[in-house]
Coordinates of all heavy atoms in Angstrom, one line a residue:
S1 N -4.2 138.5 24.0 CA -5.1 137.7 24.8 C -4.6 136.3 24.8 O -4.2 136.0 24.3 CB -6.4 137.8 24.2 OG -7.2 138.8 24.5
G2 N -4.7 135.4 25.0 CA -4.2 134.0 25.3 C -3.4 133.3 24.3 O -3.7 132.2 23.9
T3 N -2.4 134.0 23.7 CA -1.6 133.3 22.7 C -0.4 132.6 23.5 O 0.1 133.1 24.4 CB -1.0 134.2 21.6 OG1 -0.2 135.2 22.3 CG2 -2.1 134.9 20.8
L4 N -0.1 131.4 23.0 CA 1.0 130.6 23.7 C 2.2 130.6 22.8 O 2.1 130.6 21.5 CB 0.5 129.2 23.9 CG -0.6 128.9 24.9 CD1 -1.0 127.4 24.9 CD2 -0.1 129.3 26.3
E5 N 3.3 130.7 23.4 CA 4.6 130.5 22.7 C 4.8 129.1 22.3 O 4.2 128.2 22.9 CB 5.8 131.0 23.5 CG 5.8 132.4 23.9 CD 6.0 133.4 22.7 OE1 6.8 133.0 21.8 OE2 5.3 134.4 22.7
L6 N 5.6 128.8 21.2 CA 5.8 127.5 20.8 C 6.4 126.6 21.9 O 6.0 125.5 22.1 CB 6.8 127.5 19.6 CG 7.1 126.1 19.0 CD1 5.8 125.4 18.5 CD2 8.1 126.3 17.8
S7 N 7.3 127.1 22.7 CA 7.9 126.4 23.8 C 6.9 126.0 24.8 O 6.9 124.9 25.4 CB 9.1 127.1 24.4 OG 8.6 128.4 25.0
E8 N 6.0 126.9 25.1 CA 4.9 126.6 26.0 C 4.0 125.5 25.5 O 3.6 124.6 26.3 CB 4.1 127.8 26.3 CG 4.8 128.9 27.1 CD 4.0 130.2 27.2 OE1 3.4 130.7 26.2 OE2 4.0 130.8 28.3
I9 N 3.7 125.5 24.2 CA 2.9 124.5 23.6 C 3.6 123.1 23.7 O 3.0 122.1 24.1 CB 2.5 124.9 22.2 CG1 1.6 126.1 22.1 CG2 1.8 123.7 21.5 CD1 1.4 126.7 20.8
Q10 N 4.9 123.1 23.4 CA 5.6 121.9 23.4 C 5.7 121.3 24.8 O 5.5 120.1 25.0 CB 7.0 122.1 22.9 CG 7.1 122.3 21.4 CD 8.5 122.7 20.9 OE1 9.2 123.4 21.6 NE2 8.8 122.3 19.7
E11 N 5.9 122.2 25.8 CA 5.9 121.7 27.2 C 4.6 121.2 27.6 O 4.5 120.1 28.3 CB 6.3 122.9 28.1 CG 6.5 122.5 29.5 CD 6.9 123.7 30.4 OE1 7.6 124.7 29.9 OE2 6.5 123.8 31.6
L12 N 3.5 121.8 27.2 CA 2.2 121.4 27.6 C 1.9 120.0 27.0 O 1.4 119.1 27.6 CB 1.1 122.4 27.1 CG -0.3 122.1 27.4 CD1 -0.6 121.9 28.9 CD2 -1.2 123.1 26.8
L13 N 2.2 119.9 25.7 CA 2.0 118.6 25.0 C 2.8 117.5 25.6 O 2.3 116.4 25.8 CB 2.3 118.7 23.5 CG 1.3 119.5 22.7 CD1 1.8 119.7 21.2 CD2 0.0 118.8 22.6
Q14 N 4.1 117.8 26.0 CA 4.9 116.8 26.6 C 4.3 116.4 28.0 O 4.3 115.2 28.3 CB 6.3 117.2 26.8 CG 7.2 116.1 27.4 CD 8.7 116.4 27.2 OE1 9.1 117.5 26.7 NE2 9.5 115.5 27.6
R15 N 3.9 117.3 28.7 CA 3.3 117.1 30.1 C 2.0 116.2 29.9 O 1.8 115.3 30.7 CB 3.0 118.4 30.8 CG 2.9 118.2 32.3 CD 2.8 119.5 33.1 NE 2.1 120.5 32.4 CZ 2.6 121.7 32.2 NH1 3.8 122.0 32.6 NH2 1.9 122.7 31.6
M16 N 1.2 116.5 28.9 CA 0.0 115.8 28.7 C 0.3 114.3 28.3 O -0.3 113.4 28.7 CB -0.9 116.5 27.6 CG -1.5 117.8 28.0 SD -2.2 118.7 26.7 CE -3.4 117.6 26.0
A17 N 1.3 114.2 27.4 CA 1.7 112.9 26.9 C 2.2 112.0 28.1 O 2.0 110.8 28.2 CB 2.8 113.0 25.8
L18 N 3.0 112.6 29.0 CA 3.5 111.9 30.2 C 2.3 111.5 31.1 O 2.3 110.4 31.6 CB 4.5 112.8 31.0 CG 5.9 113.0 30.4 CD1 6.6 114.1 31.1 CD2 6.7 111.7 30.4
D19 N 1.4 112.5 31.3 CA 0.3 112.2 32.2 C -0.6 111.1 31.6 O -1.2 110.3 32.4 CB -0.6 113.5 32.4 CG 0.1 114.5 33.2 OD1 1.1 114.2 33.9 OD2 -0.4 115.7 33.2
L20 N -0.7 111.0 30.3 CA -1.6 110.0 29.7 C -0.9 108.7 29.5 O -1.5 107.7 29.1 CB -2.1 110.5 28.3 CG -3.1 111.7 28.4 CD1 -3.3 112.2 27.0 CD2 -4.4 111.2 29.0
G21 N 0.5 108.7 29.8 CA 1.2 107.4 29.6 C 1.7 107.2 28.2 O 2.2 106.1 27.9
A22 N 1.5 108.2 27.3 CA 2.0 108.0 25.9 C 3.5 108.1 25.9 O 4.1 107.6 25.0 CB 1.4 109.1 25.0
L23 N 4.1 108.8 26.8 CA 5.6 108.9 26.9 C 5.9 108.4 28.3 O 5.3 108.8 29.3 CB 6.1 110.3 26.8 CG 6.1 111.0 25.5 CD1 6.5 112.5 25.6 CD2 7.1 110.3 24.6
P24 N 7.0 107.6 28.4 CA 7.4 107.2 29.8 C 8.1 108.3 30.4 O 8.8 109.1 29.8 CB 8.3 106.0 29.5 CG 8.9 106.3 28.1 CD 7.8 107.0 27.4
S25 N 7.9 108.4 31.7 CA 8.7 109.4 32.5 C 10.1 108.8 32.7 O 10.4 107.7 32.5 CB 8.0 109.7 33.8 OG 8.0 108.5 34.6
E26 N 11.0 109.7 33.2 CA 12.4 109.2 33.4 C 12.4 108.1 34.4 O 13.2 107.2 34.3 CB 13.3 110.4 33.9 CG 13.7 111.3 32.8 CD 14.7 112.3 33.2 OE1 15.3 112.2 34.2 OE2 14.9 113.3 32.4
D27 N 11.5 108.1 35.4 CA 11.5 107.0 36.4 C 11.0 105.7 35.8 O 11.1 104.7 36.3 CB 10.8 107.4 37.6 CG 9.4 107.9 37.4 OD1 9.3 109.1 36.9 OD2 8.4 107.2 37.7
A28 N 10.4 105.8 34.5 CA 10.0 104.5 33.9 C 11.2 103.7 33.5 O 11.1 102.5 33.3 CB 9.1 104.9 32.6
L29 N 12.3 104.4 33.3 CA 13.5 103.7 33.0 C 14.0 102.9 34.2 O 14.6 101.9 34.1 CB 14.6 104.7 32.6 CG 16.0 104.1 32.1 CD1 15.8 103.1 31.0 CD2 16.9 105.2 31.8
G30 N 13.6 103.3 35.4 CA 14.0 102.6 36.6 C 15.2 103.2 37.2 O 16.1 103.6 36.4
E31 N 15.2 103.4 38.5 CA 16.3 104.1 39.2 C 17.6 103.4 38.9 O 18.6 104.1 38.7 CB 15.9 104.2 40.7 CG 16.8 105.1 41.4 CD 16.7 106.6 41.1 OE1 15.6 107.0 40.7 OE2 17.7 107.3 41.1
E32 N 17.6 102.1 39.0 CA 18.9 101.4 38.9 C 19.4 101.5 37.5 O 20.6 101.7 37.3 CB 18.7 99.9 39.3 CG 19.9 99.1 39.3 CD 19.6 97.6 39.7 OE1 18.8 97.4 40.6 OE2 20.3 96.8 39.2
K33 N 18.6 101.4 36.5 CA 19.0 101.5 35.1 C 19.5 102.9 34.8 O 20.4 103.1 34.1 CB 17.9 101.1 34.1 CG 17.7 99.6 34.1 CD 16.6 99.2 33.0 CE 16.4 97.7 32.9 NZ 15.4 97.4 32.0
L34 N 18.8 103.9 35.4 CA 19.2 105.3 35.1 C 20.6 105.5 35.7 O 21.4 106.1 35.1 CB 18.1 106.2 35.8 CG 18.3 107.7 35.5 CD1 18.3 108.0 34.0 CD2 17.2 108.5 36.2
R35 N 20.8 105.0 36.9 CA 22.2 105.2 37.5 C 23.2 104.5 36.7 O 24.3 105.0 36.4 CB 22.2 104.6 38.9 CG 21.7 105.5 40.0 CD 22.1 105.1 41.4 NE 21.7 103.7 41.7 CZ 20.5 103.4 42.2 NH1 19.6 104.3 42.5 NH2 20.2 102.1 42.5
A36 N 22.9 103.3 36.2 CA 23.9 102.5 35.3 C 24.1 103.3 34.0 O 25.3 103.5 33.6 CB 23.3 101.2 35.0
L37 N 23.1 103.9 33.4 CA 23.2 104.7 32.2 C 24.1 105.9 32.5 O 25.0 106.2 31.7 CB 21.8 105.1 31.7 CG 21.8 105.9 30.4 CD1 22.3 105.1 29.3 CD2 20.3 106.3 30.1
Q38 N 23.8 106.6 33.6 CA 24.6 107.8 33.9 C 26.1 107.4 34.1 O 27.0 108.1 33.7 CB 24.0 108.5 35.1 CG 22.7 109.2 34.8 CD 21.9 109.6 36.0 OE1 22.2 109.2 37.1 NE2 21.0 110.5 35.8
R39 N 26.3 106.3 34.8 CA 27.7 105.9 35.1 C 28.4 105.5 33.8 O 29.5 105.9 33.5 CB 27.7 104.7 36.0 CG 29.1 104.1 36.2 CD 29.3 103.5 37.6 NE 30.5 102.8 37.7 CZ 31.7 103.3 37.8 NH1 31.8 104.6 37.8 NH2 32.8 102.6 38.0
L40 N 27.7 104.8 32.9 CA 28.3 104.5 31.6 C 28.6 105.8 30.8 O 29.6 105.8 30.1 CB 27.4 103.6 30.8 CG 27.4 102.1 31.3 CD1 26.2 101.3 30.8 CD2 28.7 101.4 30.9
Q41 N 27.7 106.7 30.8 CA 27.9 108.0 30.1 C 29.2 108.7 30.6 O 30.0 109.2 29.8 CB 26.7 108.9 30.2 CG 25.5 108.5 29.4 CD 24.3 109.4 29.5 OE1 23.9 109.6 30.6 NE2 23.8 109.8 28.4
R42 N 29.3 108.7 31.9 CA 30.5 109.3 32.5 C 31.8 108.6 32.1 O 32.8 109.2 31.7 CB 30.5 109.4 34.0 CG 29.5 110.4 34.6 CD 29.6 110.7 36.1 NE 29.5 109.4 36.9 CZ 28.4 109.0 37.3 NH1 27.2 109.6 37.1 NH2 28.3 107.9 38.1
L43 N 31.8 107.3 32.1 CA 32.9 106.5 31.7 C 33.2 106.7 30.2 O 34.4 106.8 29.8 CB 32.7 105.0 32.0 CG 32.8 104.6 33.4 CD1 32.3 103.1 33.6 CD2 34.2 104.7 33.9
E44 N 32.1 106.8 29.4 CA 32.3 107.0 28.0 C 33.0 108.3 27.7 O 33.9 108.4 26.9 CB 31.0 107.0 27.3 CG 31.0 107.2 25.8 CD 29.7 107.2 25.1 OE1 28.8 107.9 25.7 OE2 29.5 106.6 24.1
Q45 N 32.7 109.4 28.5 CA 33.3 110.7 28.4 C 34.8 110.6 28.7 O 35.6 111.3 28.2 CB 32.6 111.7 29.2 CG 31.3 112.1 28.7 CD 30.5 112.9 29.7 OE1 30.8 113.1 30.8 NE2 29.4 113.5 29.2
R46 N 35.1 109.7 29.7 CA 36.5 109.6 30.1 C 37.4 108.9 29.1 O 38.6 109.1 29.0 CB 36.6 108.8 31.4 CG 36.2 109.6 32.6 CD 36.2 108.8 33.9 NE 37.3 108.0 34.2 CZ 37.4 107.1 35.1 NH1 36.3 106.8 35.8 NH2 38.5 106.4 35.2
F47 N 36.8 108.1 28.2 CA 37.7 107.5 27.1 C 37.5 108.2 25.8 O 38.2 107.9 24.8 CB 37.6 106.0 27.0 CG 36.3 105.4 26.5 CD1 36.0 105.3 25.2 CD2 35.4 104.8 27.5 CE1 34.9 104.7 24.8 CE2 34.2 104.3 27.0 CZ 34.0 104.2 25.7
T48 N 36.5 109.1 25.6 CA 36.4 109.7 24.4 C 36.6 111.2 24.5 O 36.7 111.9 23.5 CB 34.9 109.5 23.8 OG1 34.0 110.1 24.7 CG2 34.6 108.1 23.5
G49 N 36.7 111.7 25.7 CA 36.8 113.2 25.9 C 38.2 113.7 25.5 O 39.2 113.0 25.4
P50 N 38.3 115.0 25.4 CA 39.6 115.7 25.1 C 40.5 115.6 26.3 O 40.1 115.7 27.4 CB 39.2 117.1 24.7 CG 37.9 117.3 25.5 CD 37.2 116.0 25.5
G51 N 41.8 115.6 26.0 CA 42.8 115.7 27.1 C 43.0 114.4 27.9 O 43.5 114.4 29.0
V52 N 42.5 113.3 27.4 CA 42.5 112.0 28.2 C 43.8 111.3 27.7 O 44.0 111.1 26.5 CB 41.3 111.1 27.9 CG1 41.4 109.8 28.6 CG2 40.0 111.9 28.4
T53 N 44.6 110.8 28.6 CA 45.8 110.1 28.3 C 45.4 108.7 27.8 O 44.3 108.2 28.1 CB 46.8 109.9 29.5 OG1 46.2 109.1 30.4 CG2 47.1 111.3 30.1
E54 N 46.3 108.0 27.1 CA 46.1 106.7 26.6 C 45.8 105.7 27.7 O 44.9 104.9 27.6 CB 47.2 106.2 25.8 CG 47.0 104.9 25.0 CD 48.1 104.5 24.1 OE1 48.9 105.4 23.6 OE2 48.3 103.3 23.9
A55 N 46.5 105.8 28.8 CA 46.3 104.9 30.0 C 44.9 105.1 30.6 O 44.2 104.2 31.0 CB 47.4 105.1 31.0
E56 N 44.6 106.4 30.8 CA 43.3 106.7 31.3 C 42.1 106.2 30.4 O 41.2 105.7 30.9 CB 43.1 108.2 31.5 CG 43.9 108.9 32.6 CD 43.9 110.4 32.6 OE1 43.7 111.0 31.5 OE2 43.9 111.0 33.6
A57 N 42.3 106.4 29.1 CA 41.3 105.9 28.2 C 41.2 104.4 28.2 O 40.0 103.9 28.2 CB 41.6 106.4 26.8
R58 N 42.3 103.7 28.3 CA 42.2 102.2 28.4 C 41.5 101.8 29.6 O 40.7 100.9 29.6 CB 43.7 101.6 28.4 CG 44.1 101.2 27.0 CD 45.4 100.3 27.1 NE 46.4 100.7 28.0 CZ 47.4 101.5 27.7 NH1 47.5 102.0 26.5 NH2 48.3 101.9 28.6
N59 N 41.9 102.4 30.8 CA 41.2 102.0 32.0 C 39.7 102.3 32.0 O 38.9 101.5 32.4 CB 41.9 102.8 33.2 CG 41.4 102.3 34.5 OD1 41.3 101.1 34.8 ND2 41.0 103.2 35.4
A60 N 39.3 103.5 31.5 CA 37.9 103.9 31.4 C 37.2 102.9 30.5 O 36.0 102.5 30.8 CB 37.8 105.3 30.9
L61 N 37.8 102.5 29.4 CA 37.2 101.6 28.4 C 37.0 100.2 29.1 O 35.9 99.6 29.0 CB 38.0 101.4 27.2 CG 37.4 100.5 26.1 CD1 36.0 101.0 25.6 CD2 38.4 100.5 24.9
R62 N 38.0 99.8 29.9 CA 37.8 98.5 30.6 C 36.7 98.6 31.6 O 35.8 97.7 31.7 CB 39.1 98.2 31.3 CG 39.2 96.9 32.0 CD 40.5 96.7 32.8 NE 40.8 97.7 33.7 CZ 40.3 97.9 34.9 NH1 39.4 97.0 35.3 NH2 40.7 98.8 35.7
L63 N 36.6 99.7 32.4 CA 35.5 99.9 33.3 C 34.2 100.0 32.6 O 33.2 99.4 33.1 CB 35.7 101.1 34.2 CG 36.9 101.0 35.2 CD1 37.2 102.4 35.8 CD2 36.6 100.0 36.2
F64 N 34.1 100.7 31.5 CA 32.9 100.8 30.7 C 32.4 99.4 30.3 O 31.2 99.1 30.4 CB 33.2 101.7 29.5 CG 32.1 101.8 28.5 CD1 31.1 102.8 28.7 CD2 32.0 101.0 27.4 CE1 30.0 103.0 27.8 CE2 30.9 101.2 26.5 CZ 29.9 102.2 26.7
E65 N 33.3 98.6 29.7 CA 32.9 97.3 29.3 C 32.4 96.4 30.5 O 31.5 95.7 30.3 CB 34.1 96.6 28.6 CG 34.3 97.2 27.2 CD 35.6 96.7 26.6 OE1 36.5 96.1 27.2 OE2 35.8 97.0 25.3
R66 N 33.0 96.6 31.6 CA 32.6 95.8 32.8 C 31.2 96.3 33.2 O 30.3 95.5 33.6 CB 33.6 96.0 33.9 CG 33.3 95.1 35.1 CD 34.3 95.2 36.2 NE 34.0 96.5 36.9 CZ 34.8 97.1 37.8 NH1 36.0 96.6 38.0 NH2 34.5 98.2 38.4
E67 N 31.0 97.6 33.2 CA 29.7 98.1 33.6 C 28.6 97.7 32.6 O 27.5 97.4 33.0 CB 29.7 99.6 33.7 CG 30.5 100.2 34.9 CD 29.8 99.8 36.3 OE1 28.6 99.9 36.4 OE2 30.6 99.4 37.2
L68 N 28.9 97.7 31.3 CA 28.0 97.2 30.3 C 27.6 95.7 30.6 O 26.4 95.4 30.6 CB 28.6 97.2 28.9 CG 28.3 98.4 28.0 CD1 29.0 98.2 26.7 CD2 26.9 98.8 27.9
S69 N 28.6 94.9 31.0 CA 28.3 93.5 31.3 C 27.5 93.4 32.5 O 26.5 92.6 32.5 CB 29.7 92.8 31.4 OG 29.4 91.5 31.8
K70 N 27.8 94.2 33.6 CA 27.0 94.1 34.8 C 25.5 94.5 34.5 O 24.6 93.9 35.1 CB 27.6 95.1 35.9 CG 28.7 94.5 36.6 CD 29.4 95.4 37.6 CE 28.5 96.3 38.4 NZ 29.2 97.2 39.3
A71 N 25.3 95.5 33.7 CA 24.0 95.9 33.3 C 23.3 95.0 32.4 O 22.1 95.1 32.1 CB 24.0 97.4 32.8
N72 N 24.1 94.0 31.8 CA 23.6 93.1 30.8 C 23.1 93.8 29.6 O 22.0 93.5 29.0 CB 22.5 92.2 31.5 CG 22.3 90.9 30.7 OD1 23.2 90.5 30.0 ND2 21.1 90.3 30.8
W73 N 23.8 94.8 29.1 CA 23.5 95.6 28.0 C 24.6 95.4 26.9 O 25.7 95.2 27.2 CB 23.4 97.1 28.3 CG 22.3 97.5 29.2 CD1 21.2 96.8 29.5 CD2 22.2 98.7 29.9 NE1 20.4 97.5 30.4 CE2 21.0 98.7 30.6 CE3 23.0 99.8 30.0 CZ2 20.6 99.7 31.4 CZ3 22.6 100.9 30.8 CH2 21.4 100.8 31.5
T74 N 24.2 95.6 25.7 CA 25.2 95.7 24.6 C 25.5 97.2 24.4 O 24.8 98.0 24.9 CB 24.6 95.1 23.3 OG1 23.4 95.9 22.9 CG2 24.2 93.6 23.4
E75 N 26.5 97.4 23.6 CA 26.8 98.8 23.3 C 25.6 99.5 22.5 O 25.3 100.6 22.7 CB 28.1 99.0 22.5 CG 29.3 98.8 23.3 CD 30.6 99.1 22.6 OE1 30.7 100.2 22.1 OE2 31.5 98.2 22.6
E76 N 25.0 98.7 21.7 CA 23.8 99.2 20.9 C 22.7 99.6 21.9 O 22.0 100.6 21.7 CB 23.3 98.1 19.9 CG 24.3 97.9 18.8 CD 25.4 96.9 19.2 OE1 25.2 96.1 20.1 OE2 26.5 97.0 18.6
K77 N 22.4 98.7 22.9 CA 21.4 99.0 23.9 C 21.7 100.3 24.6 O 20.8 101.1 24.9 CB 21.3 97.8 24.8 CG 20.4 98.0 26.0 CD 18.9 97.8 25.7 CE 18.1 97.9 27.0 NZ 16.7 97.9 26.8
F78 N 23.0 100.4 25.0 CA 23.4 101.7 25.7 C 23.2 102.9 24.8 O 22.6 103.9 25.3 CB 24.9 101.5 26.1 CG 25.5 102.8 26.6 CD1 25.0 103.4 27.8 CD2 26.5 103.4 25.9 CE1 25.6 104.6 28.2 CE2 27.1 104.6 26.4 CZ 26.7 105.2 27.5
A79 N 23.6 102.8 23.6 CA 23.4 103.9 22.7 C 21.9 104.3 22.5 O 21.5 105.4 22.4 CB 24.1 103.6 21.3
K80 N 21.1 103.2 22.4 CA 19.7 103.4 22.2 C 19.1 104.1 23.5 O 18.3 105.1 23.3 CB 18.9 102.1 22.0 CG 17.5 102.2 21.8 CD 16.8 100.9 21.5 CE 15.3 101.1 21.2 NZ 14.7 99.9 20.7
L81 N 19.5 103.7 24.6 CA 19.0 104.3 25.9 C 19.4 105.7 26.0 O 18.6 106.6 26.4 CB 19.4 103.5 27.1 CG 18.7 102.2 27.3 CD1 19.5 101.4 28.4 CD2 17.3 102.4 27.7
K82 N 20.6 106.0 25.6 CA 21.1 107.4 25.6 C 20.2 108.3 24.7 O 19.9 109.4 25.0 CB 22.6 107.5 25.1 CG 23.6 107.2 26.2 CD 25.0 107.6 25.8 CE 25.3 107.7 24.3 NZ 26.7 108.0 24.1
R83 N 20.0 107.8 23.5 CA 19.1 108.5 22.5 C 17.7 108.7 23.1 O 17.1 109.8 22.9 CB 19.1 107.8 21.1 CG 20.4 107.9 20.4 CD 20.2 107.4 19.0 NE 19.7 106.0 18.9 CZ 20.4 104.9 18.9 NH1 21.7 104.9 18.9 NH2 19.8 103.7 18.7
Q84 N 17.2 107.7 23.7 CA 15.8 107.8 24.3 C 15.8 108.8 25.4 O 14.9 109.6 25.5 CB 15.4 106.4 24.8 CG 15.1 105.5 23.6 CD 14.8 104.1 24.1 OE1 15.2 103.7 25.2 NE2 14.1 103.3 23.3
L85 N 16.8 108.8 26.2 CA 16.9 109.7 27.4 C 17.0 111.1 26.9 O 16.5 112.1 27.4 CB 18.0 109.3 28.3 CG 17.9 109.9 29.7 CD1 16.7 109.5 30.4 CD2 19.2 109.5 30.5
A86 N 17.8 111.3 25.8 CA 18.0 112.6 25.2 C 16.8 113.1 24.4 O 16.7 114.3 24.0 CB 19.2 112.6 24.3
G87 N 15.8 112.2 24.1 CA 14.6 112.6 23.4 C 14.8 112.5 21.9 O 13.9 113.0 21.2
T88 N 15.9 111.9 21.4 CA 16.0 111.8 20.0 C 15.5 110.5 19.4 O 15.6 110.3 18.2 CB 17.5 112.0 19.6 OG1 18.3 111.0 20.2 CG2 18.0 113.4 20.0
E89 N 15.1 109.6 20.3 CA 14.5 108.4 19.8 C 13.3 108.0 20.7 O 13.3 108.3 21.9 CB 15.5 107.2 19.9 CG 15.0 105.9 19.3 CD 16.1 104.9 19.2 OE1 17.3 105.2 18.8 OE2 15.9 103.7 19.5
E90 N 12.3 107.4 20.1 CA 11.1 107.1 20.8 C 11.4 105.9 21.8 O 12.2 105.1 21.5 CB 9.9 106.7 19.9 CG 9.4 107.9 19.2 CD 8.1 107.5 18.4 OE1 7.4 106.6 18.8 OE2 7.9 108.2 17.4
W91 N 10.7 105.9 22.9 CA 10.8 104.8 23.8 C 10.1 103.6 23.3 O 9.0 103.7 22.7 CB 10.2 105.2 25.2 CG 11.0 106.2 25.9 CD1 10.9 107.6 25.8 CD2 12.1 106.0 26.8 NE1 11.8 108.2 26.6 CE2 12.6 107.2 27.2 CE3 12.7 104.8 27.2 CZ2 13.6 107.3 28.1 CZ3 13.8 105.0 28.1 CH2 14.2 106.2 28.5
S92 N 10.7 102.5 23.5 CA 10.1 101.2 23.0 C 10.6 100.1 24.0 O 11.6 100.3 24.7 CB 10.4 100.9 21.6 OG 11.8 100.7 21.4
A93 N 9.9 99.0 23.9 CA 10.3 97.9 24.8 C 11.6 97.2 24.3 O 12.0 97.3 23.2 CB 9.2 96.8 24.8

C-alpha cells in the first residue's frame, strides 16, 4: 500500500524545498551566469581532458582565464558555483 522508494522521497523533498524557496532553482543562478559557467566548464575540459595537445591546452587555458575575467569571477568562485550546481555544496550568497 503506499510505500515510497528512497529516490521518490528525495525527489519529493527536493521539489518541496524548491517550491518553498529553501533551495534556489537553476534559474536562480541567472541565465547569463549559467551560460558563463557552462562555457567555463567546457573550456576547463579542453585543458584538463585526455588527449589534449599542449598547444590546445594553452589556448583553452588562455580562453578560460579571459572568460573568468569577463564573468568577474575568481577560480575559487567558479569552483564553488560548479559544486553548487552539482549539488555537492549548499547555495549561498
